[in-house]
Amino acid sequence: MKVPLLDLGAQHATIREDVMAAIDRVVESQYFILGPEVTAFEQEVASFCGAKEAVGMSSGTDALLAALMALDVGPGDEVVTTPFSFFATAGVVARLGARPVFVDIDPLTYNIDPSKIAEVLTPSTRAIMPVHLFGRCADMTRVMQLANSHAIPVVEDAAQAIGSFDDEGRQAGTIGSIGCFSFFPSKNLGAFGDAGMVITNDADLGELLRIIRVHGSKPKYYHKIVGGNFRIDALQAAVLRAKLPHLQAWTEGRRRNAALYRELFNDAELQDIVLPEDVPGHIYNQFVIRAPDRDALQKHLKERNVGTEVYYPLPLHLQECFRDLEYGEGDFPESEKAAGEVLALPVYPELKPEQVRYVVSSVAEFYQRAAV
């Protein structure tokens, strides 16, 4: 049996007619950048999330970058975030000349540990940027209590978390000052290329973000600020509009597969495997286990035609390009331990129960062999 990590073709087959009609609509209109498709998509995402403002961006990375630009983050400033995330989380901070200040993760959630944030705050702290990793919300109650007590804005890196909600029922991206989504094809809501979105409940921030995404101009060709070319194109917006009505059902499919994994792994009594915690708001952009001998297990699964991925093999504080931050090995032990143990298994909604069973049996086979 072959079980890919992600099967976009299986999803596309179920909505092909709607997607192709959306693409044809844009082609016939010849309106390719911003325009009515983008405006409609922004309104639909705002309604889905319960946000007042939604601003389409060219990628999730550019959404984060524009968000920090809107908060006037620049040289000499510091942004507190996690070292266990996709590179863009810290990369956008560095691009603005600011300093990423890292805080270790909670080993159960993989998200920033709020209890450690206060000790790194300084007068230069300009923003706190928690990441809702793998589709599970960070502990936003504690993050926001701390941020509000110090009057520090919060930018939610919700790239992997559209539709997720926290333990108070609040939608990811709507809790802080600004929330940022990615619609990279592998996300729960994926475009046919790069695309992103910023949401906020602050009308002034929303307007500023719209200006920033068009090189800082308003009206056209008149620039009071320097922005960037962060415009989402109409083709991506149209494709995403066709997909958005299916997102809740796809999330339910991911949660069903996660529940089946949990049941089968528990039945297999694999003591060495640590499963992700199950909480109601988790949307499982990834189903990530922790395993000793992770690399050997991954090799075994590859031989069994099971697709996997390591998110992420090297924490950000140990990346060569951040050497000047003067962090070192051992500074964030939970992030470093996670980087050596995590393994993402297939969890996309079109995954069949027999495929899930095959994945679990393949993992069990690896540990049974090791025990002999």
Side-chain angles (χ1 to χ4, degrees):
M1 182 179 293
K2 185 175 183 179
V3 187
L5 179 65
L6 181 64
D7 187 353
L8 293 177
Q11 181 187 92
H12 180 64
T14 66
I15 58 170
R16 186 180 189 281
E17 186 174 331
D18 290 343
V19 169
M20 299 311 294
I23 292 172
D24 287 343
R25 189 171 65 239
V26 174
V27 172
E28 289 300 317
S29 76
Q30 292 292 291
Y31 205 139
F32 294 113
I33 303 295
L34 299 180
E37 288 287 347
V38 170
T39 299
F41 178 54
E42 290 171 339
Q43 292 169 346
E44 289 160 7
V45 169
S47 177
F48 178 85
C49 295
K52 294 180 180 178
E53 304 280 339
V55 184
M57 295 285 172
S58 45
S59 69
T61 299
D62 288 340
L64 291 169
L65 181 61
L68 294 182
M69 291 171 68
L71 296 176
D72 201 27
V73 172
D77 293 331
E78 296 176 349
V79 176
V80 176
T81 191
T82 164
F84 192 63
S85 179
F86 180 61
F87 180 79
T89 303
V92 295
V93 179
R95 281 185 63 186
L96 294 174
R99 175 185 173 90
V101 175
F102 296 122
V103 170
D104 211 354
I105 60 170
D106 180 320
L108 295 179
T109 69
Y110 303 112
N111 291 323
I112 194 167
D113 185 344
S115 69
K116 300 181 183 299
I117 295 176
E119 61 194 58
V120 302
L121 299 181
T122 73
S124 298
T125 304
R126 189 69 187 86
I128 299 171
M129 189 156 63
V131 180
H132 306 311
L133 202 64
F134 305 142
R136 176 175 181 173
C137 274
D139 185 348
M140 291 302 293
T141 298
R142 295 170 68 192
V143 169
M144 292 305 299
Q145 287 172 346
L146 181 65
N148 290 337
S149 68
H150 290 81
I152 299 171
V154 171
V155 175
E156 297 176 65
D157 183 342
Q160 302 177 2
I162 187 168
S164 179
F165 54 88
D166 74 349
D167 56 3
E168 295 186 24
R170 298 172 295 183
Q171 286 277 335
T174 67
I175 307 166
S177 302
I178 304 174
C180 302
F181 298 130
S182 168
F183 302 125
F184 189 78
S186 64
K187 298 300 190 291
N188 292 32
L189 181 64
F192 279 10
D194 267 323
M197 181 76 72
V198 171
I199 61 173
T200 181
N201 287 315
D202 185 318
D204 291 336
L205 274 177
E207 176 64 10
L208 178 56
L209 286 158
R210 290 187 179 89
I211 293 171
I212 286 172
R213 76 174 171 185
V214 289
H215 295 286
S217 68
K218 187 181 181 182
K220 190 175 182 180
Y221 302 132
Y222 291 84
H223 305 258
K224 290 185 178 179
I225 62 173
V226 176
N229 181 9
F230 304 144
R231 300 169 297 190
I232 186 174
D233 69 72
L235 279 168
Q236 301 303 341
V239 168
L240 290 163
R241 288 187 70 197
K243 288 187 168 190
L244 183 59
H246 302 275
L247 179 57
Q248 190 57 45
W250 291 339
T251 295
E252 291 169 1
R254 287 173 178 270
R255 287 189 54 79
R256 280 195 303 271
N257 288 333
L260 182 55
Y261 268 127
R262 192 167 280 105
E263 175 187 339
L264 295 172
F265 272 121
N266 288 335
D267 288 346
E269 297 183 344
L270 298 176
Q271 303 298 326
D272 292 331
I273 297 295
V274 178
L275 303 176
E277 281 194 320
D278 185 35
V279 294
H282 201 324
I283 64 167
Y284 293 100
N285 177 244
Q286 304 293 344
F287 186 90
V288 175
I289 65 172
R290 297 180 75 142
D293 301 320
R294 188 268 316 280
D295 294 344
L297 172 60
Q298 185 179 37
K299 180 181 178 182
H300 168 78
L301 292 176
K302 183 178 180 180
E303 292 169 351
R304 298 278 286 168
N305 293 313
V306 175
T308 62
E309 187 62 80
V310 175
Y311 302 102
Y312 298 93
L314 186 67
L316 298 178
H317 69 287
L318 298 179
Q319 296 287 345
E320 184 176 352
C321 64
F322 290 141
R323 189 174 296 168
D324 63 327
L325 298 179
E326 298 184 345
Y327 291 115
E329 192 170 343
D331 284 345
F332 305 106
E334 295 297 348
S335 296
E336 294 169 27
K337 185 178 180 183
E341 296 180 347
V342 295
L343 188 66
L345 304 179
V347 74
Y348 54 92
E350 297 80 17
L351 199 66
K352 296 178 176 62
E354 56 266 30
Q355 290 177 302
V356 176
R357 293 188 181 94
Y358 179 76
V359 173
V360 175
S361 68
S362 298
V363 173
E365 179 186 65
F366 172 80
Y367 286 104
Q368 289 164 358
R369 286 180 178 178
V372 174

